[in-house]
Amino acid sequence: SMRTFSTELLSPQSVVDRCDHCFTALVDCNYPCNTCQDSLTDCNSCVTGPGIQLHILPTENRCVSSCPDKYFVDSRRACRPCPKHCASCSFRDICDTCESGYKKWNELCHEKCPLNTVDI
């Protein structure tokens, strides 16, 4: 659909007053954000390129060189939380190691062995 624009002349301050929460594609986000929301430092995605290994941490809207403990990198280079009680994981539903006191069974961590299973 076509958008129509007013032809009235606006002073720079009136543009700011009318658009205090607006960001356009013409505004660069602060490095290392590639795209951002709400402010120039709230990242939606991180810059990419040769030798750049950055991941978006959506819970904090920032770019990180490695995901924190108990997070994994998904296919979109975002840090996602591991399943409950995992110490480390490779995917959203597969624990590699469990927190202390938890046992791994069927790729997840459990406080007790499930029914009809024994701790080995």
Side-chain angles (χ1 to χ4, degrees):
S1 67
M2 295 283 292
R3 289 189 176 191
T4 57
F5 296 93
S6 169
T7 56
E8 71 178 294
L9 294 175
L10 300 173
S11 70
Q13 187 58 48
S14 68
V15 170
V16 170
D17 290 343
R18 289 183 185 192
C19 203
D20 59 349
H21 295 293
C22 298
F23 290 91
T24 68
L26 302 176
V27 177
D28 288 332
C29 301
N30 287 358
Y31 183 86
C33 295
N34 185 44
T35 58
C36 52
Q37 68 182 25
D38 300 331
S39 80
L40 299 180
T41 57
D42 279 349
C43 303
N44 284 338
S45 66
C46 306
V47 294
T48 60
I52 299 174
Q53 292 293 321
L54 292 173
H55 312 291
I56 185 72
L57 183 56
T59 55
E60 298 179 18
N61 292 339
R62 66 185 180 98
C63 297
V64 294
S65 56
S66 62
C67 294
D69 288 346
K70 301 182 183 184
Y71 280 78
F72 71 98
V73 180
D74 73 7
S75 61
R76 294 184 175 172
R77 299 177 58 129
C79 297
R80 301 290 179 197
C82 292
K84 193 173 183 180
H85 305 302
C86 290
S88 64
C89 65
S90 303
F91 301 97
R92 68 179 179 85
D93 54 356
I94 298 177
C95 295
D96 295 330
T97 59
C98 297
E99 294 174 348
S100 179
Y102 288 85
K103 301 168 187 340
K104 186 175 168 186
W105 186 77
N106 231 13
E107 307 300 339
L108 295 175
C109 298
H110 303 270
E111 192 172 3
K112 297 183 261 182
C113 292
L115 192 63
N116 299 323
T117 65
V118 293
D119 189 11
I120 55 172

